[in-house]
Amino acid sequence: MLFRFILVGLCIFVVSACQYANNTTDSALVAVSKASSDSVAQPVHINYEKYKLANGLTVILHQDKSDPLVHVDMTYHVGSARELPGKTGFAHFFEHMMFQGSENVADEQHFKIVTDAGGTLNGTTNRDRTNYFQTVPANQLEKVLWLEADRMGFLLPAVTQEKFEIQRETVKNERAERVDNQPYGRRHEKIAEALYPEGHPYGWLTIGYVEDLDRVNVNDLKAFFQRWYGPNNAVLTIGGDIDIAQTKAWISRYFSEIPAGPDIPAQAPGIAQLSDNRFVTLEDNIHLPLLQIVLPTVHARHKDEAALDVLSNILGSGKTSLFYESLVKTGKAVQAGVSHPCSELACEFNLMALISPESGESLAGMYDTIQTMLDTFESRPFDDDALLRVKASIKASTIYGLQSVSGKVSTMAYNETFFGNPNLINEDIARYNNVTKEDVYRVFRKYIKGQKAVVLSVVPHGQSALAAAPQTFQSAPREFAIQQETTSIDVARQTSRTSSAGFDRSVVPEAGPAPSVTVPEYWRDRLDNGMQIIGVTSDETPTVSFTLDMEGGMLLDPMEKAGLSQMTAMMMNETTQGYSNEAMSNELAKLGSSISFTSNGRYTQVFVSSLTENLDATLALLKEKLFRPAFLESDFDRLKKQVIDGINSQAKNPSALAERATSLVLWGKQNRISLSQTGTAETIQNITLDDVKRFYANYYVPAKSTLVMVGDISQAALIDRLAFLSDWQGSDYTIPGYASFPEYQSNQIYLVDVPGATQSTVRMVSRSLPYDATGDYFHAQLMNFPLGDDFNSRINQNLREDKGYTYGAYSSFNGGKSLGWFEAGAELKQQYTEAGIVELMKEINQYKQQGITEAELAFMQNAFTLSEALEYETPMDKAAFLRRLVAYDLPSDYKQTQKSIIRGIAKPELDKVASRLLNTQDLQIIIVGDKQALQPQLEALAMPVHDISFAGG
């Protein structure tokens, strides 16, 4: 579905690209100005320049001086679709290897250098591309270009068998954590195997099969790099506070001498063809059965893609859709939806429903219901609002995408990589705006009505009889002759390419002058009823977003009715006295606006976002939702059932179980915070509609409320528009205190048994400090950074990079307004559960005894101070800053105080903090895993073991 990529702007114009040494300039020149444009959908312009180096590297530059930062994206046109049968997962595996150092960059130094520069970084792989991206302060751009060039041109000299083996284990751990050990985690794999013919490049997951990862060797990796990672198969996109001429000079310096790789042939679209329905059953460790129907359609940017996206929206997106009306609202499904994700070679039309066992609905019945809905779709004409909703969402998402440089850069990189033109924004908007009702019905008849599909039933273990139909398709055994990469480049060649450009590539470029960073200029106000308002006026995009926070949240729940605050918030998202669910959703969608209520920890929150031009209409709908809820019994009964089903479903999720066990161990059974935000199935069952009405009457009042706004509106104009909130009244209330917390004299293990789990979720916790901005808690965060709060931290390097026990390990201090705790943990390979716990304890003890090193101290100081350039870019970033000011009653200059502390702090001071706060004897160990398989390791740990069960929610 292309919506996710239309997140940049309504108009782009290309600045003339001057000739540059060793470069070829893109010949296309588009000059569109705001005054001269004939389009009605071009309120914003994004300047970019596109050119190409002689070696084929495509470069796109975009200057945006609104914030002192730069985002760099290097996209290679290679994903899992370029893999050979029997060597799946290699594109993703290689993404990991690209962070393991190159000829002039030591192992793990890419992460360290970028973090030390105050930046963030990552990489992602999908079917069709792999991208690497960094956001750094503007003065660090040359350093990032040096890093990207070194791994593009000089990777192989640093590739070793040891690094290869470590990352092989890391990728296998990632698959175990994200696929094999997750409820429903293997459904996408089953669908791919059934939907695509043998050998089709979309017939396997990007992460691949474990047996294939075991099969490949280091020479396969070298061949893959030399085949696909040439500059002629890459797009370098840079956006932010850049000097165009200087940036081009750096790009030429670092990239121009890298030789081109082999020519890359284009892949032809490969749309699946099914001669029969393929019924597939997956038995899994789940509570709620799931039905997923997948039909093949077109490919990305096909002329029918837009109409199919609109069709999926009408059928199954939001409360205005047919799926919501027929399946969710009627209680037949806990969740249901339709989507149309598109990739370069093929798209898939997905229809999905999650079913409660208590609903009386079977998967077979659900399948029949969906088929009946599809059969009658043409006889149920949809209104014009359906098209207006989609078009409004495109406009809104486009404008919101302008809020970050990374959003603009990512979209331009995507469009250039796959379609050879970063300037597709207006074309995309036009093709969706041009979709008609006739188009929607036409693509429905062509691709959906009566067409063959893959029908997947996910059922609990041992209950295959629950499937929608007996299985008719079985994946063929994975037997094939292993193919080798064919390339004219000698894969054995590992000699260094020395620079001929007259500079030493081993020297890390110096950073430029540090950019000036200032906190956002904000204003404060207060309504007549006492409600605080704090805001930042920003005209970077024509949007307004605000959050209304009412303090209390889940802390106001009675223990026996835990989840009441959330149930109340959910009811506030339902029918009002003047609007049905569907009518309200429709009005908001046509405006491109959103209003949502939620209970989140200590606060009940109302989130509002709107285009500036639609703010008045959006606020009118907020007034209706906030002050005129209908509180219908039918809505309440449906939501109550959904919440209970969700709680029961989470009883199979290792991460959710670990969260629940952690809260119980830290806070004890007598405190509300020992239960999850949603409560338990039993406490939800205790809640009545009258309870919800009382909660609303007592706590949806302005007494403890704050409104935080960031947007394109002045203080006076906003206060004028919020006049309706001045009349809001209600009595003040008291937030209850806490009962006593459990005390522990020694390490103990609290075990949640998940039979068949392939990993062990381990958390080690103890109560610690609440949040403060400049005191003990802040010092604890500084101290912990090199221990477990960074990719290069001691804990992560030991357990992930050195031992291969996990995909990631960490430690953290977590502080709220009144409570806090220390936590260390990892998702461990089952066979290394004991060893992982021992290593975690060892690292914490060693750090406590020896303290921070001078090198770690300097690294932490840079990472914390230089990163401020990235902290205030988007409205969400600015709002987070304002919300912290209000929540903790901080002075406006607290960031300056923090910087002074960081710059002046020394090793002895941080060592004292570590000695005082890192007490391994206080740590309680939570393990979520297969008890029977873990028994010998539990005995070896020689600690008391207590079983925890959350049966019944």
Side-chain angles (χ1 to χ4, degrees):
M1 183 174 180
L2 204 62
F3 280 67
R4 58 199 168 176
F5 300 113
I6 312 175
L7 295 176
V8 179
L10 302 178
C11 173
I12 295 180
F13 73 93
V14 182
V15 178
S16 177
C18 62
Q19 293 293 330
Y20 201 79
N22 298 319
N23 297 345
T24 59
T25 304
D26 185 79
S27 60
L29 178 64
V30 182
V32 181
S33 69
K34 187 171 183 179
S36 64
S37 171
D38 293 326
S39 172
V40 297
Q42 296 181 330
V44 183
H45 302 275
I46 303 174
N47 303 323
Y48 77 86
E49 179 176 343
K50 170 186 167 182
Y51 66 98
K52 187 173 289 190
L53 299 183
N55 58 13
L57 177 66
T58 299
V59 180
I60 301 168
L61 303 179
H62 160 62
Q63 189 180 70
D64 177 352
K65 291 187 170 293
S66 60
D67 293 280
L69 57 84
V70 175
H71 185 80
V72 178
D73 180 291
M74 181 70 81
T75 297
Y76 293 89
H77 195 167
V78 56
S80 58
R82 296 289 192 173
E83 294 164 351
L84 299 174
K87 295 185 178 180
T88 66
F90 213 77
H92 173 250
F93 184 1
F94 194 81
E95 175 210 318
H96 282 248
M97 290 300 301
M98 285 283 277
F99 290 99
Q100 299 309 302
S102 46
E103 181 178 23
N104 301 298
V105 181
D107 187 18
E108 307 302 341
Q109 287 302 294
H110 199 119
F111 275 100
K112 189 168 186 177
I113 288 171
V114 173
T115 304
D116 187 60
T120 62
L121 72 161
N122 212 333
T124 67
T125 308
N126 64 24
R127 290 168 162 178
D128 304 313
R129 65 99 187 102
T130 305
N131 72 337
Y132 304 88
F133 47 92
Q134 295 97 164
T135 304
V136 293
N139 65 320
Q140 303 286 348
L141 174 58
E142 185 183 5
K143 196 175 295 181
V144 171
L145 295 176
W146 169 75
L147 287 166
E148 286 292 359
D150 209 68
R151 61 181 174 185
M152 174 187 279
F154 308 91
L155 182 82
L156 292 189
V159 172
T160 64
Q161 186 70 36
E162 180 183 9
K163 291 180 183 179
F164 177 85
E165 295 298 344
I166 289 171
Q167 292 312 308
R168 187 195 332 241
E169 290 307 304
T170 299
V171 173
K172 288 161 67 175
N173 287 335
E174 182 179 357
R175 177 183 166 110
E177 181 176 327
R178 295 186 172 183
V179 178
D180 299 326
N181 207 43
Q182 288 297 318
Y184 312 101
R186 293 185 59 215
R187 64 186 174 93
H188 296 295
E189 187 168 79
K190 288 295 184 183
I191 288 169
E193 292 171 350
L195 183 61
Y196 295 103
E198 185 176 348
H200 191 287
Y202 288 175
W204 52 82
L205 294 186
T206 298
I207 203 163
Y209 296 96
V210 171
E211 61 266 29
D212 289 357
L213 294 170
D214 286 335
R215 182 182 291 119
V216 296
N217 59 51
V218 71
N219 285 328
D220 292 317
L221 179 141
K222 296 171 184 175
F224 190 90
F225 171 76
Q226 293 176 319
R227 180 72 181 92
W228 302 109
Y229 270 73
N232 51 309
N233 197 37
V235 175
L236 172 61
T237 310
I238 304 171
D241 186 9
I242 62 174
D243 179 292
I244 296 291
Q246 179 63 78
T247 301
K248 293 172 97 173
W250 285 333
I251 291 170
S252 178
R253 175 183 178 89
Y254 293 112
F255 289 94
S256 61
E257 71 173 348
I258 299 174
D263 291 337
I264 305 297
Q267 286 182 296
I271 300 166
Q273 304 290 329
L274 298 175
S275 57
D276 298 291
N277 286 327
R278 293 183 170 183
F279 290 91
V280 180
T281 302
L282 171 62
E283 294 187 18
D284 202 355
N285 187 24
I286 60 166
H287 177 73
L288 304 180
L290 179 143
L291 178 71
Q292 187 165 352
I293 302 170
V294 184
L295 301 100
T297 56
V298 291
H299 57 83
R301 297 200 73 79
H302 184 279
K303 63 183 180 63
D304 288 338
E305 182 196 16
L308 283 160
D309 285 347
V310 174
L311 172 63
S312 74
N313 185 281
I314 293 167
L315 283 174
S317 179
K319 294 180 178 179
T320 57
S321 69
L322 295 179
F323 264 46
Y324 176 83
E325 176 188 340
S326 301
L327 303 181
V328 178
K329 193 172 183 179
T330 60
K332 292 181 179 180
V334 177
Q335 297 175 22
V338 180
S339 63
H340 184 234
C342 272
S343 299
E344 183 179 18
L345 309 183
C347 306
E348 300 157 8
F349 204 86
N350 284 270
L351 307 99
M352 190 182 72
L354 194 65
I355 301 170
S356 169
E358 286 74 36
S359 69
E361 188 73 25
S362 66
L363 290 179
M366 179 60 68
Y367 178 71
D368 291 341
T369 298
I370 292 175
Q371 291 304 311
T372 299
M373 291 170 59
L374 297 179
D375 290 342
T376 60
F377 176 71
E378 291 175 285
S379 64
R380 301 175 59 180
F382 56 89
D383 57 29
D384 292 333
D385 281 355
L387 296 180
L388 291 176
R389 289 195 302 270
V390 175
K391 295 168 184 178
S393 71
I394 294 170
K395 180 177 181 180
S397 63
T398 299
I399 293 175
Y400 280 111
L402 293 169
Q403 294 176 341
S404 71
V405 171
S406 63
K408 293 179 280 187
V409 165
S410 297
T411 301
M412 288 191 286
Y414 167 82
N415 285 334
E416 176 61 34
T417 299
F418 295 112
F419 312 114
N421 181 5
N423 182 23
L424 293 174
I425 306 301
N426 293 319
E427 182 180 320
D428 282 330
I429 291 173
R431 67 192 182 108
Y432 283 93
N433 279 338
N434 291 334
V435 171
T436 65
K437 287 184 178 181
E438 291 71 24
D439 291 328
V440 174
Y441 285 124
R442 175 180 57 78
V443 296
F444 171 76
R445 289 188 292 267
K446 183 174 182 179
Y447 300 102
I448 309 302
K449 183 180 180 181
Q451 299 301 311
K452 305 306 180 184
V454 172
V455 182
L456 174 70
S457 300
V458 186
V459 300
H461 283 300
Q463 299 185 44
S464 59
L466 296 178
Q471 181 154 304
T472 62
F473 175 83
Q474 184 69 46
S475 300
R478 301 189 68 248
E479 298 174 356
F480 31 71
I482 303 300
Q483 303 176 47
Q484 299 297 327
E485 288 278 10
T486 58
T487 175
S488 60
I489 299 176
D490 180 5
V491 300
R493 182 163 60 93
Q494 300 183 46
T495 56
S496 305
R497 298 183 189 135
T498 57
S499 174
S500 60
F503 70 96
D504 186 352
R505 285 188 178 270
S506 67
V507 177
V508 182
E510 293 290 334
S516 175
V517 182
T518 58
V519 300
E521 185 176 339
Y522 62 92
W523 48 262
R524 290 178 182 263
D525 215 317
R526 189 178 291 271
L527 299 183
D528 293 341
N529 58 9
M531 187 173 78
Q532 296 184 76
I533 300 180
I534 185 169
V536 169
T537 297
S538 171
D539 62 359
E540 289 184 26
T541 58
T543 61
V544 176
S545 300
F546 64 82
T547 304
L548 174 60
D549 295 331
M550 294 169 280
E551 192 172 6
M554 65 182 284
L555 300 180
L556 301 170
D557 290 350
M559 275 296 290
E560 70 279 7
K561 297 187 178 183
L564 175 57
S565 58
Q566 177 161 294
M567 280 294 299
T568 305
M570 293 174 70
M571 286 294 290
M572 296 297 291
N573 290 314
E574 297 296 312
T575 311
T576 70
Q577 295 176 37
Y579 289 83
S580 67
N581 249 325
E582 296 81 356
M584 176 63 73
S585 180
N586 187 52
E587 290 303 311
L588 286 168
K590 287 192 296 181
L591 296 170
S593 301
S594 66
I595 301 173
S596 63
F597 290 71
T598 184
S599 178
N600 184 21
R602 192 181 185 91
Y603 294 91
T604 292
Q605 297 176 304
V606 188
F607 297 97
V608 180
S609 65
S610 172
L611 301 180
T612 307
E613 64 188 81
N614 294 332
L615 181 59
D616 288 338
T618 303
L619 290 177
L621 295 175
L622 171 64
K623 182 178 181 180
E624 171 72 15
K625 289 178 72 68
L626 183 59
F627 298 135
R628 288 166 50 82
F631 290 137
L632 298 182
E633 192 81 43
S634 57
D635 287 340
F636 176 74
D637 291 342
R638 171 172 44 81
L639 291 179
K640 187 173 180 177
K641 180 177 177 299
Q642 288 178 0
V643 171
I644 292 173
D645 284 334
I647 291 170
N648 289 333
S649 181
Q650 290 297 298
K652 303 291 186 178
N653 186 300
S655 296
L657 290 171
E659 288 284 350
R660 294 186 64 179
T662 297
S663 296
L664 181 63
V665 169
L666 283 171
W667 316 119
K669 294 181 179 180
Q670 304 306 312
N671 283 291
R672 169 64 183 91
I673 53 173
S674 69
L675 302 175
S676 69
Q677 180 76 48
T678 55
T680 70
E682 181 180 359
T683 62
I684 294 297
Q685 196 63 56
N686 292 337
I687 297 171
T688 66
L689 183 56
D690 285 339
D691 293 325
V692 169
K693 292 177 180 178
R694 278 191 294 271
F695 193 96
Y696 170 77
N698 292 335
Y699 304 124
Y700 277 63
V701 295
K704 286 181 169 61
S705 66
T706 302
L707 190 146
V708 177
M709 188 286 304
V710 177
D712 182 24
I713 189 170
S714 68
Q715 176 181 356
L718 181 67
I719 297 301
D720 180 63
R721 284 167 170 77
L722 294 179
F724 69 95
L725 290 178
S726 294
D727 299 329
W728 188 19
Q729 298 298 318
S731 301
D732 201 354
Y733 53 90
T734 300
I735 299 174
Y738 302 109
S740 59
F741 300 128
E743 297 294 336
Y744 304 100
Q745 303 304 318
S746 62
N747 303 128
Q748 300 179 69
I749 294 172
Y750 294 85
L751 176 66
V752 183
D753 184 21
V754 180
T758 59
Q759 287 189 305
S760 297
T761 301
V762 171
R763 297 193 178 180
M764 304 163 61
V765 300
S766 62
R767 290 191 300 278
S768 191
L769 303 169
Y771 174 87
D772 63 57
T774 57
D776 288 347
Y777 176 81
F778 180 66
H779 286 76
Q781 287 192 307
L782 302 181
M783 174 272 292
N784 180 66
F785 186 73
L787 173 62
D789 196 25
D790 173 61
F791 181 85
N792 287 85
S793 69
R794 297 186 185 190
I795 285 175
N796 193 57
Q797 288 299 301
N798 182 348
L799 274 74
R800 171 182 159 130
E801 298 298 317
D802 296 341
K803 302 292 192 308
Y805 292 169
T806 180
Y807 178 55
Y810 67 93
S811 65
S812 63
F813 284 87
N814 308 280
K817 196 166 185 176
S818 55
L819 298 173
W821 73 98
F822 173 76
E823 178 177 313
E827 300 279 342
L828 295 169
K829 280 185 179 179
Q830 186 182 82
Q831 65 267 36
Y832 296 128
T833 304
E834 176 207 354
I837 292 171
V838 170
E839 289 299 318
L840 283 168
M841 289 282 197
K842 184 190 81 174
E843 289 293 347
I844 296 169
N845 275 324
Q846 184 169 299
Y847 192 71
K848 175 185 176 73
Q849 294 162 8
Q850 299 176 2
I852 194 171
T853 68
E854 292 294 342
E856 289 173 333
L857 173 60
F859 179 61
M860 178 276 292
Q861 288 172 320
N862 286 339
F864 271 74
T865 56
L866 299 178
S867 62
E868 190 181 9
L870 281 59
E871 290 184 7
Y872 312 116
E873 181 189 12
T874 67
M876 185 178 297
D877 295 332
K878 294 179 177 72
F881 167 72
L882 298 180
R883 193 172 292 113
R884 187 173 293 111
L885 285 181
V886 174
Y888 299 104
D889 194 23
L890 300 176
S892 59
D893 64 349
Y894 87 93
K895 295 294 291 186
Q896 285 72 28
T897 304
Q898 286 184 335
K899 282 193 287 187
S900 296
I901 292 171
I902 295 168
R903 288 168 178 161
I905 205 161
K907 172 178 166 60
E909 189 174 355
L910 288 177
D911 288 351
K912 288 180 182 178
V913 175
S915 179
R916 181 162 52 91
L917 296 180
L918 296 177
N919 299 308
T920 53
Q921 67 270 21
D922 294 337
L923 292 176
Q924 304 307 305
I925 302 170
I926 293 139
I927 304 176
V928 180
D930 188 324
K931 178 179 180 179
Q932 183 175 355
L934 290 173
Q935 197 61 46
Q937 297 185 68
L938 297 175
E939 293 172 359
L941 286 167
M943 299 177 189
V945 178
H946 308 276
D947 291 327
I948 297 179
S949 173
F950 297 112

